[in-house]
Amino acid sequence: MFRPLFITPVLIALAFAGSALAADPTPADLALAAKFEALKQKLDTGRGREVINLTRDNSPDAQGWIGFTKENTGEMALQRLKGHLPATDAQLAASRASYGRVVSMLEKIDRSPEAKPYEIVQRRKEITIDGRIDPKEWKGANVVPLAYIFPHTEPTTDSVATCRLMWDSRNLYAAFDVPDAQIMGNEALDNEKNTFLYDCVELFLVPDPRFPAYWEINVTPKNEILDRLIMKKSRGWFGEPDPSEDIEGIKVATKLSPDSSSPDADHTEQKPGYSIEIAIPWSQLPNMRHGPRVGDTLLGVMAWSDVNDKIDYGHQKYYSQVPTVAGFNSVWEFQVLKLVGKKGWFD
């Protein structure tokens, strides 16, 4: 009579114990797994979520970014480090390397202080979008240096771009002042894979963190715009961009320095670079169709992409006003942007 064979976990463990391919986690592996779980418990509801999402997301892009595979997913790798799942030497080494990177990123986030809210000052009159940052129009705006080079958590001491934001009842305004002696463009602007591979300024805006759909806005020194509405994955890495969406009514203008359009101007005190002004209608921001109110908050990153010598990632630096260990699409690391009024009534 046929008897079904029941394979128990004990039999599996014994089979692997006799195999030359079996590998046991070291005390350091167990400690690494415990460290990750402690950081996950502490940071998963805040700035560490995007990194932790890399261990949950089984899409090829997410796995490739951190070093997991379909045969060794984030959950599998963690169980192998804990000794709860059989592993080969190669699987255990890959698990150790991937979670080593994850823990290192989470430790950076844990060490870096959370930025205080950036106050966006209110105006009564519209700002003229001409690329020139008029001191009278931008009076009272809080100027912030874009001094954090991705993925570092300490600001650079080098000369960097600055950004300032203001608002009125119609628009959210941004002005970037960028030092750049070598401005490089990209002809393939319709190819989203090349979005970040040229000189540009970037603005990421989450109007309501409860529903993390956000705009990613890139503007080049040539006034070229790439804007993407991205539906963020709350439990996964990155998000789903909708290329069919564009911001209606956005205004941008760029001014190069020295201003070659003014041959009679005194260029001796002008540093090479460019300035960009942007006006974004509130009606185009998800969950902000009611219009802005004093006290409203958004989440955002003001950023600057600088490429020199050659257009590729090896010659690129990405700067922002706050450290972003997991990248500019990590909405959980964005700074709170608060709309203020009354004391900000500047004309």
Side-chain angles (χ1 to χ4, degrees):
M1 182 177 178
F2 174 78
R3 295 178 182 271
L5 178 63
F6 294 97
I7 301 177
T8 67
V10 173
L11 290 175
I12 293 175
L14 289 173
F16 266 81
S19 170
L21 296 177
D24 294 322
T26 66
D29 293 332
L30 299 173
L32 179 62
K35 182 66 174 178
F36 166 73
E37 291 183 323
L39 288 167
K40 178 181 178 181
Q41 183 175 8
K42 181 178 181 180
L43 301 173
D44 196 14
T45 57
R47 292 182 295 153
R49 177 174 290 189
E50 185 78 348
V51 178
I52 295 166
N53 281 346
L54 280 168
T55 70
R56 301 184 176 112
D57 195 327
N58 292 333
S59 66
D61 285 343
Q63 289 181 336
W65 204 82
I66 202 66
F68 297 125
T69 65
K70 63 180 181 180
E71 290 82 19
N72 197 39
T73 66
E75 181 58 28
M76 290 178 181
L78 181 62
Q79 296 305 316
R80 285 180 170 125
L81 289 175
K82 296 167 69 174
H84 296 170
L85 190 67
T88 65
D89 283 325
Q91 288 172 334
L92 196 55
S95 303
R96 189 180 300 130
S98 294
Y99 270 97
R101 287 191 285 270
V102 167
V103 166
S104 176
M105 293 167 72
L106 290 175
E107 287 177 332
K108 283 185 178 181
I109 293 172
D110 195 32
R111 289 193 302 266
S112 61
E114 189 168 0
K116 295 180 180 179
Y118 173 93
E119 292 189 338
I120 308 178
V121 170
Q122 187 178 15
R123 284 185 51 81
R124 282 183 289 187
K125 297 180 180 178
E126 288 192 38
I127 291 177
T128 302
I129 303 302
D130 57 9
R132 188 175 74 89
I133 305 176
D134 188 329
K136 293 181 179 179
E137 290 189 317
W138 289 93
K139 180 181 178 182
N142 295 314
V143 182
V144 60
L146 311 184
Y148 291 92
I149 304 176
F150 171 76
H152 303 293
T153 55
E154 295 295 329
T156 180
T157 57
D158 296 337
S159 176
V160 295
T162 60
C163 184
R164 63 203 80 191
L165 303 178
M166 296 191 85
W167 70 284
D168 61 21
S169 61
R170 294 164 293 277
N171 299 301
L172 174 66
Y173 300 98
F176 293 83
D177 189 13
V178 182
D180 196 344
Q182 186 185 25
I183 298 175
M184 299 186 67
N186 182 357
E187 297 178 358
L189 285 174
D190 292 331
N191 183 344
E192 291 188 0
K193 293 182 179 179
N194 294 322
T195 300
F196 312 107
L197 292 179
Y198 49 85
D199 286 317
C200 66
V201 300
E202 303 177 81
L203 192 60
F204 296 75
L205 296 170
V206 180
D208 189 337
R210 297 174 304 162
F211 311 103
Y214 65 97
W215 282 108
E216 173 187 342
I217 305 164
N218 300 334
V219 182
T220 74
K222 295 182 179 180
N223 262 21
E224 297 153 322
I225 306 171
L226 192 150
D227 51 354
R228 299 193 296 177
L229 183 62
I230 299 178
M231 308 301 176
K232 185 65 184 173
K233 300 176 184 177
S234 62
R235 308 290 287 182
W237 183 68
F238 193 59
E240 296 294 339
D242 186 347
S244 68
E245 290 284 351
D246 290 299
I247 299 177
E248 296 180 6
I250 188 172
K251 296 178 182 178
V252 302
T254 301
K255 183 176 182 296
L256 299 181
S257 179
D259 187 357
S260 57
S261 65
S262 302
D264 297 329
D266 183 5
H267 298 160
T268 57
E269 296 184 2
Q270 295 188 46
K271 295 181 180 179
Y274 57 94
S275 56
I276 291 179
E277 289 183 309
I278 307 171
I280 305 162
W282 286 111
S283 62
Q284 296 297 297
L285 295 179
N287 308 314
M288 288 293 291
R289 293 185 181 277
H290 60 72
R293 304 185 183 104
V294 172
D296 281 350
T297 59
L298 303 85
L299 299 178
V301 163
M302 312 166 220
W304 161 43
S305 175
D306 185 34
V307 62
N308 290 290
D309 299 327
K310 183 180 179 182
I311 296 178
D312 64 29
Y313 285 114
H315 294 76
Q316 196 86 8
K317 289 184 178 179
Y318 304 97
Y319 300 79
S320 59
Q321 91 280 14
V322 290
T324 55
V325 174
F328 293 166
N329 296 99
S330 175
V331 299
W332 328 112
E333 297 179 77
F334 285 10
Q335 186 178 18
V336 173
L337 312 175
K338 184 177 181 180
L339 304 187
V340 298
K342 292 187 177 180
K343 70 174 184 178
W345 283 112
F346 296 99
D347 292 329

